[in-house]
PDB file of all heavy atoms in Angstrom:
ATOM      1  N   ILE A 119      -8.250   3.754 -10.940  1.00 94.00           N
ATOM      2  CA  ILE A 119      -8.590   2.836 -12.024  1.00 94.00           C
ATOM      3  C   ILE A 119      -8.507   3.554 -13.363  1.00 94.00           C
ATOM      4  O   ILE A 119      -7.819   3.117 -14.282  1.00 94.00           O
ATOM      5  CB  ILE A 119      -9.997   2.247 -11.822  1.00 94.00           C
ATOM      6  CG1 ILE A 119     -10.113   1.598 -10.430  1.00 94.00           C
ATOM      7  CG2 ILE A 119     -10.292   1.227 -12.916  1.00 94.00           C
ATOM      8  CD1 ILE A 119      -9.116   0.509 -10.161  1.00 94.00           C
ATOM      9  N   PHE A 120      -9.215   4.668 -13.488  1.00 92.00           N
ATOM     10  CA  PHE A 120      -9.231   5.439 -14.729  1.00 92.00           C
ATOM     11  C   PHE A 120      -8.286   6.647 -14.677  1.00 92.00           C
ATOM     12  O   PHE A 120      -7.721   7.031 -15.687  1.00 92.00           O
ATOM     13  CB  PHE A 120     -10.647   5.919 -15.038  1.00 92.00           C
ATOM     14  CG  PHE A 120     -11.643   4.815 -15.211  1.00 92.00           C
ATOM     15  CD1 PHE A 120     -12.922   4.916 -14.694  1.00 92.00           C
ATOM     16  CD2 PHE A 120     -11.307   3.655 -15.898  1.00 92.00           C
ATOM     17  CE1 PHE A 120     -13.844   3.893 -14.862  1.00 92.00           C
ATOM     18  CE2 PHE A 120     -12.214   2.627 -16.067  1.00 92.00           C
ATOM     19  CZ  PHE A 120     -13.484   2.752 -15.551  1.00 92.00           C
ATOM     20  N   VAL A 121      -8.182   7.251 -13.502  1.00 90.00           N
ATOM     21  CA  VAL A 121      -7.331   8.434 -13.318  1.00 90.00           C
ATOM     22  C   VAL A 121      -6.115   8.021 -12.501  1.00 90.00           C
ATOM     23  O   VAL A 121      -6.260   7.425 -11.431  1.00 90.00           O
ATOM     24  CB  VAL A 121      -8.097   9.557 -12.596  1.00 90.00           C
ATOM     25  CG1 VAL A 121      -7.211  10.794 -12.446  1.00 90.00           C
ATOM     26  CG2 VAL A 121      -9.377   9.893 -13.336  1.00 90.00           C
ATOM     27  N   PRO A 122      -4.895   8.307 -12.957  1.00 89.00           N
ATOM     28  CA  PRO A 122      -3.699   7.936 -12.191  1.00 89.00           C
ATOM     29  C   PRO A 122      -3.737   8.540 -10.788  1.00 89.00           C
ATOM     30  O   PRO A 122      -4.158   9.687 -10.602  1.00 89.00           O
ATOM     31  CB  PRO A 122      -2.550   8.522 -13.023  1.00 89.00           C
ATOM     32  CG  PRO A 122      -3.093   8.614 -14.411  1.00 89.00           C
ATOM     33  CD  PRO A 122      -4.552   8.930 -14.263  1.00 89.00           C
ATOM     34  N   VAL A 123      -3.292   7.781  -9.802  1.00 92.00           N
ATOM     35  CA  VAL A 123      -3.338   8.256  -8.425  1.00 92.00           C
ATOM     36  C   VAL A 123      -2.489   9.503  -8.229  1.00 92.00           C
ATOM     37  O   VAL A 123      -2.771  10.334  -7.361  1.00 92.00           O
ATOM     38  CB  VAL A 123      -2.876   7.145  -7.449  1.00 92.00           C
ATOM     39  CG1 VAL A 123      -3.896   6.030  -7.379  1.00 92.00           C
ATOM     40  CG2 VAL A 123      -1.509   6.604  -7.837  1.00 92.00           C
ATOM     41  N   VAL A 124      -1.455   9.663  -9.046  1.00 89.00           N
ATOM     42  CA  VAL A 124      -0.590  10.838  -8.920  1.00 89.00           C
ATOM     43  C   VAL A 124      -1.344  12.115  -9.274  1.00 89.00           C
ATOM     44  O   VAL A 124      -0.947  13.211  -8.855  1.00 89.00           O
ATOM     45  CB  VAL A 124       0.656  10.678  -9.815  1.00 89.00           C
ATOM     46  CG1 VAL A 124       0.296  10.766 -11.282  1.00 89.00           C
ATOM     47  CG2 VAL A 124       1.724  11.709  -9.456  1.00 89.00           C
ATOM     48  N   ALA A 125      -2.438  12.002 -10.025  1.00 90.00           N
ATOM     49  CA  ALA A 125      -3.210  13.171 -10.429  1.00 90.00           C
ATOM     50  C   ALA A 125      -4.383  13.459  -9.499  1.00 90.00           C
ATOM     51  O   ALA A 125      -5.079  14.467  -9.673  1.00 90.00           O
ATOM     52  CB  ALA A 125      -3.730  12.993 -11.859  1.00 90.00           C
ATOM     53  N   LEU A 126      -4.630  12.607  -8.513  1.00 93.00           N
ATOM     54  CA  LEU A 126      -5.776  12.764  -7.623  1.00 93.00           C
ATOM     55  C   LEU A 126      -5.402  13.607  -6.404  1.00 93.00           C
ATOM     56  O   LEU A 126      -4.305  13.456  -5.850  1.00 93.00           O
ATOM     57  CB  LEU A 126      -6.287  11.399  -7.168  1.00 93.00           C
ATOM     58  CG  LEU A 126      -6.891  10.515  -8.264  1.00 93.00           C
ATOM     59  CD1 LEU A 126      -7.185   9.122  -7.713  1.00 93.00           C
ATOM     60  CD2 LEU A 126      -8.162  11.141  -8.831  1.00 93.00           C
ATOM     61  N   PRO A 127      -6.296  14.489  -5.948  1.00 93.00           N
ATOM     62  CA  PRO A 127      -6.038  15.265  -4.727  1.00 93.00           C
ATOM     63  C   PRO A 127      -5.917  14.353  -3.510  1.00 93.00           C
ATOM     64  O   PRO A 127      -6.469  13.245  -3.487  1.00 93.00           O
ATOM     65  CB  PRO A 127      -7.264  16.178  -4.625  1.00 93.00           C
ATOM     66  CG  PRO A 127      -7.875  16.187  -5.987  1.00 93.00           C
ATOM     67  CD  PRO A 127      -7.570  14.856  -6.590  1.00 93.00           C
ATOM     68  N   ASP A 128      -5.221  14.840  -2.499  1.00 93.00           N
ATOM     69  CA  ASP A 128      -5.016  14.035  -1.291  1.00 93.00           C
ATOM     70  C   ASP A 128      -6.332  13.673  -0.614  1.00 93.00           C
ATOM     71  O   ASP A 128      -6.488  12.561  -0.106  1.00 93.00           O
ATOM     72  CB  ASP A 128      -4.110  14.791  -0.308  1.00 93.00           C
ATOM     73  CG  ASP A 128      -2.683  14.911  -0.822  1.00 93.00           C
ATOM     74  OD1 ASP A 128      -2.304  14.118  -1.707  1.00 93.00           O
ATOM     75  OD2 ASP A 128      -1.948  15.808  -0.340  1.00 93.00           O
ATOM     76  N   TRP A 129      -7.293  14.613  -0.599  1.00 95.00           N
ATOM     77  CA  TRP A 129      -8.548  14.327   0.091  1.00 95.00           C
ATOM     78  C   TRP A 129      -9.361  13.249  -0.637  1.00 95.00           C
ATOM     79  O   TRP A 129     -10.084  12.478  -0.007  1.00 95.00           O
ATOM     80  CB  TRP A 129      -9.376  15.598   0.255  1.00 95.00           C
ATOM     81  CG  TRP A 129      -9.858  16.219  -1.027  1.00 95.00           C
ATOM     82  CD1 TRP A 129      -9.215  17.143  -1.791  1.00 95.00           C
ATOM     83  CD2 TRP A 129     -11.104  15.948  -1.691  1.00 95.00           C
ATOM     84  NE1 TRP A 129      -9.959  17.469  -2.894  1.00 95.00           N
ATOM     85  CE2 TRP A 129     -11.131  16.765  -2.858  1.00 95.00           C
ATOM     86  CE3 TRP A 129     -12.178  15.113  -1.420  1.00 95.00           C
ATOM     87  CZ2 TRP A 129     -12.201  16.756  -3.750  1.00 95.00           C
ATOM     88  CZ3 TRP A 129     -13.251  15.099  -2.303  1.00 95.00           C
ATOM     89  CH2 TRP A 129     -13.260  15.912  -3.452  1.00 95.00           C
ATOM     90  N   VAL A 130      -9.209  13.186  -1.969  1.00 95.00           N
ATOM     91  CA  VAL A 130      -9.884  12.131  -2.731  1.00 95.00           C
ATOM     92  C   VAL A 130      -9.265  10.777  -2.408  1.00 95.00           C
ATOM     93  O   VAL A 130      -9.972   9.782  -2.180  1.00 95.00           O
ATOM     94  CB  VAL A 130      -9.803  12.424  -4.239  1.00 95.00           C
ATOM     95  CG1 VAL A 130     -10.329  11.235  -5.040  1.00 95.00           C
ATOM     96  CG2 VAL A 130     -10.592  13.678  -4.580  1.00 95.00           C
ATOM     97  N   LEU A 131      -7.943  10.713  -2.379  1.00 94.00           N
ATOM     98  CA  LEU A 131      -7.267   9.458  -2.041  1.00 94.00           C
ATOM     99  C   LEU A 131      -7.576   9.024  -0.616  1.00 94.00           C
ATOM    100  O   LEU A 131      -7.718   7.831  -0.343  1.00 94.00           O
ATOM    101  CB  LEU A 131      -5.757   9.621  -2.222  1.00 94.00           C
ATOM    102  CG  LEU A 131      -5.254   9.737  -3.663  1.00 94.00           C
ATOM    103  CD1 LEU A 131      -3.758  10.016  -3.672  1.00 94.00           C
ATOM    104  CD2 LEU A 131      -5.560   8.467  -4.440  1.00 94.00           C
ATOM    105  N   ALA A 132      -7.682  10.003   0.288  1.00 94.00           N
ATOM    106  CA  ALA A 132      -7.997   9.663   1.682  1.00 94.00           C
ATOM    107  C   ALA A 132      -9.377   9.024   1.777  1.00 94.00           C
ATOM    108  O   ALA A 132      -9.579   8.037   2.507  1.00 94.00           O
ATOM    109  CB  ALA A 132      -7.927  10.912   2.556  1.00 94.00           C
ATOM    110  N   GLY A 133     -10.350   9.541   1.028  1.00 94.00           N
ATOM    111  CA  GLY A 133     -11.683   8.944   1.036  1.00 94.00           C
ATOM    112  C   GLY A 133     -11.699   7.576   0.388  1.00 94.00           C
ATOM    113  O   GLY A 133     -12.330   6.639   0.886  1.00 94.00           O
ATOM    114  N   ALA A 134     -10.989   7.447  -0.745  1.00 94.00           N
ATOM    115  CA  ALA A 134     -10.967   6.158  -1.446  1.00 94.00           C
ATOM    116  C   ALA A 134     -10.245   5.087  -0.634  1.00 94.00           C
ATOM    117  O   ALA A 134     -10.552   3.893  -0.769  1.00 94.00           O
ATOM    118  CB  ALA A 134     -10.299   6.319  -2.805  1.00 94.00           C
ATOM    119  N   SER A 135      -9.288   5.495   0.204  1.00 94.00           N
ATOM    120  CA  SER A 135      -8.522   4.518   0.991  1.00 94.00           C
ATOM    121  C   SER A 135      -9.374   3.835   2.053  1.00 94.00           C
ATOM    122  O   SER A 135      -8.940   2.853   2.660  1.00 94.00           O
ATOM    123  CB  SER A 135      -7.323   5.190   1.650  1.00 94.00           C
ATOM    124  OG  SER A 135      -7.743   6.148   2.615  1.00 94.00           O
ATOM    125  N   LEU A 136     -10.586   4.330   2.277  1.00 94.00           N
ATOM    126  CA  LEU A 136     -11.486   3.700   3.240  1.00 94.00           C
ATOM    127  C   LEU A 136     -12.210   2.501   2.647  1.00 94.00           C
ATOM    128  O   LEU A 136     -12.949   1.809   3.357  1.00 94.00           O
ATOM    129  CB  LEU A 136     -12.524   4.716   3.740  1.00 94.00           C
ATOM    130  CG  LEU A 136     -11.960   5.952   4.445  1.00 94.00           C
ATOM    131  CD1 LEU A 136     -13.092   6.912   4.806  1.00 94.00           C
ATOM    132  CD2 LEU A 136     -11.178   5.561   5.687  1.00 94.00           C
ATOM    133  N   PHE A 137     -11.982   2.234   1.357  1.00 94.00           N
ATOM    134  CA  PHE A 137     -12.666   1.143   0.670  1.00 94.00           C
ATOM    135  C   PHE A 137     -11.628   0.240  -0.004  1.00 94.00           C
ATOM    136  O   PHE A 137     -10.501   0.655  -0.286  1.00 94.00           O
ATOM    137  CB  PHE A 137     -13.655   1.703  -0.349  1.00 94.00           C
ATOM    138  CG  PHE A 137     -14.714   2.573   0.265  1.00 94.00           C
ATOM    139  CD1 PHE A 137     -14.536   3.946   0.353  1.00 94.00           C
ATOM    140  CD2 PHE A 137     -15.869   2.016   0.776  1.00 94.00           C
ATOM    141  CE1 PHE A 137     -15.499   4.752   0.938  1.00 94.00           C
ATOM    142  CE2 PHE A 137     -16.845   2.813   1.361  1.00 94.00           C
ATOM    143  CZ  PHE A 137     -16.659   4.183   1.443  1.00 94.00           C
ATOM    144  N   PRO A 138     -12.003  -0.999  -0.287  1.00 95.00           N
ATOM    145  CA  PRO A 138     -11.002  -1.978  -0.749  1.00 95.00           C
ATOM    146  C   PRO A 138     -10.496  -1.772  -2.170  1.00 95.00           C
ATOM    147  O   PRO A 138      -9.415  -2.243  -2.502  1.00 95.00           O
ATOM    148  CB  PRO A 138     -11.727  -3.317  -0.619  1.00 95.00           C
ATOM    149  CG  PRO A 138     -13.181  -2.996  -0.616  1.00 95.00           C
ATOM    150  CD  PRO A 138     -13.301  -1.648   0.004  1.00 95.00           C
ATOM    151  N   LEU A 139     -11.236  -1.085  -3.043  1.00 96.00           N
ATOM    152  CA  LEU A 139     -10.841  -1.016  -4.449  1.00 96.00           C
ATOM    153  C   LEU A 139      -9.480  -0.355  -4.633  1.00 96.00           C
ATOM    154  O   LEU A 139      -8.660  -0.826  -5.433  1.00 96.00           O
ATOM    155  CB  LEU A 139     -11.903  -0.289  -5.270  1.00 96.00           C
ATOM    156  CG  LEU A 139     -11.654  -0.220  -6.777  1.00 96.00           C
ATOM    157  CD1 LEU A 139     -11.523  -1.617  -7.370  1.00 96.00           C
ATOM    158  CD2 LEU A 139     -12.768   0.550  -7.485  1.00 96.00           C
ATOM    159  N   LEU A 140      -9.230   0.740  -3.941  1.00 96.00           N
ATOM    160  CA  LEU A 140      -7.938   1.421  -4.073  1.00 96.00           C
ATOM    161  C   LEU A 140      -6.785   0.499  -3.701  1.00 96.00           C
ATOM    162  O   LEU A 140      -5.753   0.468  -4.382  1.00 96.00           O
ATOM    163  CB  LEU A 140      -7.919   2.678  -3.202  1.00 96.00           C
ATOM    164  CG  LEU A 140      -6.621   3.497  -3.211  1.00 96.00           C
ATOM    165  CD1 LEU A 140      -6.926   4.997  -3.216  1.00 96.00           C
ATOM    166  CD2 LEU A 140      -5.732   3.158  -2.009  1.00 96.00           C
ATOM    167  N   TRP A 141      -6.951  -0.280  -2.638  1.00 97.00           N
ATOM    168  CA  TRP A 141      -5.881  -1.167  -2.175  1.00 97.00           C
ATOM    169  C   TRP A 141      -5.702  -2.348  -3.117  1.00 97.00           C
ATOM    170  O   TRP A 141      -4.575  -2.802  -3.342  1.00 97.00           O
ATOM    171  CB  TRP A 141      -6.192  -1.634  -0.760  1.00 97.00           C
ATOM    172  CG  TRP A 141      -6.276  -0.512   0.216  1.00 97.00           C
ATOM    173  CD1 TRP A 141      -7.404   0.030   0.761  1.00 97.00           C
ATOM    174  CD2 TRP A 141      -5.183   0.249   0.746  1.00 97.00           C
ATOM    175  NE1 TRP A 141      -7.093   1.062   1.595  1.00 97.00           N
ATOM    176  CE2 TRP A 141      -5.735   1.223   1.616  1.00 97.00           C
ATOM    177  CE3 TRP A 141      -3.803   0.195   0.582  1.00 97.00           C
ATOM    178  CZ2 TRP A 141      -4.937   2.124   2.309  1.00 97.00           C
ATOM    179  CZ3 TRP A 141      -3.005   1.095   1.272  1.00 97.00           C
ATOM    180  CH2 TRP A 141      -3.570   2.044   2.119  1.00 97.00           C
ATOM    181  N   MET A 142      -6.784  -2.852  -3.688  1.00 97.00           N
ATOM    182  CA  MET A 142      -6.663  -3.927  -4.665  1.00 97.00           C
ATOM    183  C   MET A 142      -5.873  -3.458  -5.882  1.00 97.00           C
ATOM    184  O   MET A 142      -4.974  -4.156  -6.370  1.00 97.00           O
ATOM    185  CB  MET A 142      -8.059  -4.404  -5.095  1.00 97.00           C
ATOM    186  CG  MET A 142      -8.862  -5.076  -3.996  1.00 97.00           C
ATOM    187  SD  MET A 142     -10.607  -5.262  -4.437  1.00 97.00           S
ATOM    188  CE  MET A 142     -10.489  -6.357  -5.837  1.00 97.00           C
ATOM    189  N   ALA A 143      -6.215  -2.265  -6.374  1.00 97.00           N
ATOM    190  CA  ALA A 143      -5.514  -1.736  -7.543  1.00 97.00           C
ATOM    191  C   ALA A 143      -4.040  -1.485  -7.236  1.00 97.00           C
ATOM    192  O   ALA A 143      -3.169  -1.786  -8.060  1.00 97.00           O
ATOM    193  CB  ALA A 143      -6.192  -0.443  -8.006  1.00 97.00           C
ATOM    194  N   GLN A 144      -3.745  -0.977  -6.053  1.00 96.00           N
ATOM    195  CA  GLN A 144      -2.356  -0.721  -5.695  1.00 96.00           C
ATOM    196  C   GLN A 144      -1.558  -2.011  -5.584  1.00 96.00           C
ATOM    197  O   GLN A 144      -0.410  -2.096  -6.044  1.00 96.00           O
ATOM    198  CB  GLN A 144      -2.299   0.055  -4.372  1.00 96.00           C
ATOM    199  CG  GLN A 144      -0.880   0.408  -3.924  1.00 96.00           C
ATOM    200  CD  GLN A 144      -0.883   1.349  -2.735  1.00 96.00           C
ATOM    201  OE1 GLN A 144      -1.732   2.230  -2.627  1.00 96.00           O
ATOM    202  NE2 GLN A 144       0.069   1.166  -1.823  1.00 96.00           N
ATOM    203  N   GLY A 145      -2.132  -3.032  -4.967  1.00 97.00           N
ATOM    204  CA  GLY A 145      -1.445  -4.308  -4.847  1.00 97.00           C
ATOM    205  C   GLY A 145      -1.181  -4.947  -6.202  1.00 97.00           C
ATOM    206  O   GLY A 145      -0.101  -5.504  -6.447  1.00 97.00           O
ATOM    207  N   LEU A 146      -2.146  -4.852  -7.112  1.00 97.00           N
ATOM    208  CA  LEU A 146      -1.955  -5.422  -8.444  1.00 97.00           C
ATOM    209  C   LEU A 146      -0.950  -4.613  -9.261  1.00 97.00           C
ATOM    210  O   LEU A 146      -0.190  -5.184 -10.052  1.00 97.00           O
ATOM    211  CB  LEU A 146      -3.300  -5.502  -9.172  1.00 97.00           C
ATOM    212  CG  LEU A 146      -4.288  -6.527  -8.585  1.00 97.00           C
ATOM    213  CD1 LEU A 146      -5.640  -6.433  -9.273  1.00 97.00           C
ATOM    214  CD2 LEU A 146      -3.733  -7.939  -8.707  1.00 97.00           C
ATOM    215  N   ARG A 147      -0.929  -3.298  -9.080  1.00 96.00           N
ATOM    216  CA  ARG A 147       0.108  -2.505  -9.753  1.00 96.00           C
ATOM    217  C   ARG A 147       1.494  -2.925  -9.273  1.00 96.00           C
ATOM    218  O   ARG A 147       2.454  -2.983 -10.060  1.00 96.00           O
ATOM    219  CB  ARG A 147      -0.106  -1.012  -9.504  1.00 96.00           C
ATOM    220  CG  ARG A 147      -1.271  -0.412 -10.272  1.00 96.00           C
ATOM    221  CD  ARG A 147      -1.190   1.111 -10.300  1.00 96.00           C
ATOM    222  NE  ARG A 147      -1.240   1.717  -8.975  1.00 96.00           N
ATOM    223  CZ  ARG A 147      -2.347   2.054  -8.341  1.00 96.00           C
ATOM    224  NH1 ARG A 147      -3.528   1.859  -8.919  1.00 96.00           N
ATOM    225  NH2 ARG A 147      -2.302   2.607  -7.139  1.00 96.00           N
ATOM    226  N   GLY A 148       1.613  -3.226  -7.991  1.00 96.00           N
ATOM    227  CA  GLY A 148       2.893  -3.685  -7.463  1.00 96.00           C
ATOM    228  C   GLY A 148       3.345  -4.996  -8.065  1.00 96.00           C
ATOM    229  O   GLY A 148       4.538  -5.277  -8.131  1.00 96.00           O
ATOM    230  N   ALA A 149       2.379  -5.821  -8.512  1.00 96.00           N
ATOM    231  CA  ALA A 149       2.728  -7.099  -9.133  1.00 96.00           C
ATOM    232  C   ALA A 149       3.002  -6.950 -10.621  1.00 96.00           C
ATOM    233  O   ALA A 149       3.866  -7.639 -11.170  1.00 96.00           O
ATOM    234  CB  ALA A 149       1.599  -8.106  -8.910  1.00 96.00           C
ATOM    235  N   PHE A 150       2.286  -6.058 -11.295  1.00 96.00           N
ATOM    236  CA  PHE A 150       2.395  -5.926 -12.745  1.00 96.00           C
ATOM    237  C   PHE A 150       3.438  -4.891 -13.185  1.00 96.00           C
ATOM    238  O   PHE A 150       4.101  -5.087 -14.206  1.00 96.00           O
ATOM    239  CB  PHE A 150       1.035  -5.529 -13.343  1.00 96.00           C
ATOM    240  CG  PHE A 150       0.086  -6.668 -13.538  1.00 96.00           C
ATOM    241  CD1 PHE A 150      -0.719  -7.102 -12.491  1.00 96.00           C
ATOM    242  CD2 PHE A 150      -0.027  -7.308 -14.761  1.00 96.00           C
ATOM    243  CE1 PHE A 150      -1.614  -8.149 -12.660  1.00 96.00           C
ATOM    244  CE2 PHE A 150      -0.909  -8.354 -14.947  1.00 96.00           C
ATOM    245  CZ  PHE A 150      -1.705  -8.781 -13.892  1.00 96.00           C
ATOM    246  N   PHE A 151       3.558  -3.802 -12.461  1.00 95.00           N
ATOM    247  CA  PHE A 151       4.399  -2.694 -12.909  1.00 95.00           C
ATOM    248  C   PHE A 151       5.873  -2.934 -12.586  1.00 95.00           C
ATOM    249  O   PHE A 151       6.197  -3.612 -11.595  1.00 95.00           O
ATOM    250  CB  PHE A 151       3.972  -1.397 -12.243  1.00 95.00           C
ATOM    251  CG  PHE A 151       2.700  -0.804 -12.793  1.00 95.00           C
ATOM    252  CD1 PHE A 151       1.932  -1.486 -13.729  1.00 95.00           C
ATOM    253  CD2 PHE A 151       2.263   0.441 -12.374  1.00 95.00           C
ATOM    254  CE1 PHE A 151       0.760  -0.954 -14.228  1.00 95.00           C
ATOM    255  CE2 PHE A 151       1.102   0.992 -12.869  1.00 95.00           C
ATOM    256  CZ  PHE A 151       0.342   0.297 -13.797  1.00 95.00           C
ATOM    257  N   PRO A 152       6.783  -2.344 -13.364  1.00 92.00           N
ATOM    258  CA  PRO A 152       8.199  -2.363 -12.979  1.00 92.00           C
ATOM    259  C   PRO A 152       8.421  -1.525 -11.726  1.00 92.00           C
ATOM    260  O   PRO A 152       7.633  -0.631 -11.407  1.00 92.00           O
ATOM    261  CB  PRO A 152       8.905  -1.757 -14.201  1.00 92.00           C
ATOM    262  CG  PRO A 152       7.844  -0.977 -14.905  1.00 92.00           C
ATOM    263  CD  PRO A 152       6.556  -1.700 -14.666  1.00 92.00           C
ATOM    264  N   GLU A 153       9.504  -1.796 -11.025  1.00 92.00           N
ATOM    265  CA  GLU A 153       9.747  -1.157  -9.736  1.00 92.00           C
ATOM    266  C   GLU A 153       9.826   0.358  -9.837  1.00 92.00           C
ATOM    267  O   GLU A 153       9.442   1.082  -8.905  1.00 92.00           O
ATOM    268  CB  GLU A 153      11.026  -1.719  -9.114  1.00 92.00           C
ATOM    269  CG  GLU A 153      11.240  -1.343  -7.658  1.00 92.00           C
ATOM    270  CD  GLU A 153      10.110  -1.831  -6.754  1.00 92.00           C
ATOM    271  OE1 GLU A 153       9.573  -2.926  -7.014  1.00 92.00           O
ATOM    272  OE2 GLU A 153       9.762  -1.095  -5.807  1.00 92.00           O
ATOM    273  N   ARG A 154      10.323   0.869 -10.951  1.00 91.00           N
ATOM    274  CA  ARG A 154      10.474   2.316 -11.102  1.00 91.00           C
ATOM    275  C   ARG A 154       9.137   3.050 -11.050  1.00 91.00           C
ATOM    276  O   ARG A 154       9.078   4.235 -10.709  1.00 91.00           O
ATOM    277  CB  ARG A 154      11.175   2.632 -12.417  1.00 91.00           C
ATOM    278  CG  ARG A 154      10.474   2.095 -13.655  1.00 91.00           C
ATOM    279  CD  ARG A 154      11.220   2.388 -14.938  1.00 91.00           C
ATOM    280  NE  ARG A 154      10.639   1.697 -16.086  1.00 91.00           N
ATOM    281  CZ  ARG A 154       9.564   2.123 -16.737  1.00 91.00           C
ATOM    282  NH1 ARG A 154       8.977   3.264 -16.367  1.00 91.00           N
ATOM    283  NH2 ARG A 154       9.093   1.436 -17.771  1.00 91.00           N
ATOM    284  N   MET A 155       8.034   2.353 -11.383  1.00 92.00           N
ATOM    285  CA  MET A 155       6.721   2.989 -11.377  1.00 92.00           C
ATOM    286  C   MET A 155       6.202   3.256  -9.972  1.00 92.00           C
ATOM    287  O   MET A 155       5.235   3.994  -9.794  1.00 92.00           O
ATOM    288  CB  MET A 155       5.724   2.125 -12.143  1.00 92.00           C
ATOM    289  CG  MET A 155       6.024   1.984 -13.626  1.00 92.00           C
ATOM    290  SD  MET A 155       5.882   3.544 -14.517  1.00 92.00           S
ATOM    291  CE  MET A 155       4.118   3.827 -14.435  1.00 92.00           C
ATOM    292  N   ALA A 156       6.850   2.678  -8.961  1.00 92.00           N
ATOM    293  CA  ALA A 156       6.424   2.921  -7.581  1.00 92.00           C
ATOM    294  C   ALA A 156       6.582   4.390  -7.199  1.00 92.00           C
ATOM    295  O   ALA A 156       5.919   4.874  -6.278  1.00 92.00           O
ATOM    296  CB  ALA A 156       7.220   2.039  -6.624  1.00 92.00           C
ATOM    297  N   ALA A 157       7.438   5.120  -7.903  1.00 91.00           N
ATOM    298  CA  ALA A 157       7.640   6.538  -7.605  1.00 91.00           C
ATOM    299  C   ALA A 157       6.378   7.359  -7.835  1.00 91.00           C
ATOM    300  O   ALA A 157       6.234   8.461  -7.288  1.00 91.00           O
ATOM    301  CB  ALA A 157       8.778   7.089  -8.459  1.00 91.00           C
ATOM    302  N   LEU A 158       5.436   6.834  -8.636  1.00 89.00           N
ATOM    303  CA  LEU A 158       4.195   7.547  -8.918  1.00 89.00           C
ATOM    304  C   LEU A 158       3.107   7.285  -7.879  1.00 89.00           C
ATOM    305  O   LEU A 158       2.038   7.889  -7.947  1.00 89.00           O
ATOM    306  CB  LEU A 158       3.675   7.155 -10.299  1.00 89.00           C
ATOM    307  CG  LEU A 158       4.593   7.484 -11.482  1.00 89.00           C
ATOM    308  CD1 LEU A 158       3.966   7.019 -12.795  1.00 89.00           C
ATOM    309  CD2 LEU A 158       4.892   8.979 -11.534  1.00 89.00           C
ATOM    310  N   GLU A 159       3.384   6.384  -6.941  1.00 91.00           N
ATOM    311  CA  GLU A 159       2.421   6.137  -5.863  1.00 91.00           C
ATOM    312  C   GLU A 159       2.483   7.273  -4.839  1.00 91.00           C
ATOM    313  O   GLU A 159       3.494   7.973  -4.737  1.00 91.00           O
ATOM    314  CB  GLU A 159       2.719   4.805  -5.192  1.00 91.00           C
ATOM    315  CG  GLU A 159       2.558   3.605  -6.098  1.00 91.00           C
ATOM    316  CD  GLU A 159       1.134   3.418  -6.582  1.00 91.00           C
ATOM    317  OE1 GLU A 159       0.198   3.493  -5.759  1.00 91.00           O
ATOM    318  OE2 GLU A 159       0.943   3.216  -7.794  1.00 91.00           O
ATOM    319  N   PRO A 160       1.418   7.489  -4.074  1.00 87.00           N
ATOM    320  CA  PRO A 160       1.410   8.597  -3.100  1.00 87.00           C
ATOM    321  C   PRO A 160       2.582   8.567  -2.121  1.00 87.00           C
ATOM    322  O   PRO A 160       3.124   9.614  -1.757  1.00 87.00           O
ATOM    323  CB  PRO A 160       0.075   8.405  -2.370  1.00 87.00           C
ATOM    324  CG  PRO A 160      -0.796   7.703  -3.359  1.00 87.00           C
ATOM    325  CD  PRO A 160       0.120   6.798  -4.135  1.00 87.00           C
ATOM    326  N   SER A 161       3.003   7.361  -1.695  1.00 89.00           N
ATOM    327  CA  SER A 161       4.115   7.249  -0.738  1.00 89.00           C
ATOM    328  C   SER A 161       5.438   6.971  -1.415  1.00 89.00           C
ATOM    329  O   SER A 161       6.461   6.859  -0.740  1.00 89.00           O
ATOM    330  CB  SER A 161       3.812   6.136   0.265  1.00 89.00           C
ATOM    331  OG  SER A 161       3.776   4.863  -0.384  1.00 89.00           O
TER     332      SER A 161
END
């Protein structure tokens, strides 16, 4: 939300992925962002 996911450690993302907020933000980024921004996602 405040810190780009590309800057977060893997263990932080792994913990956050256990809760819905990370997935909500990712889904909304997929709707709002241009396709090229997908390269900044963890996968």
Side-chain angles (χ1 to χ4, degrees):
I119 306 302
F120 300 139
V121 182
V123 290
V124 70
L126 294 172
D128 291 340
W129 65 271
V130 172
L131 289 175
S135 66
L136 300 176
F137 300 93
L139 183 58
L140 179 140
W141 299 104
M142 294 167 64
Q144 182 171 324
L146 292 174
R147 286 196 299 272
F150 279 85
F151 285 7
E153 192 60 36
R154 58 182 171 80
M155 295 295 291
L158 299 179
E159 296 297 313
S161 66

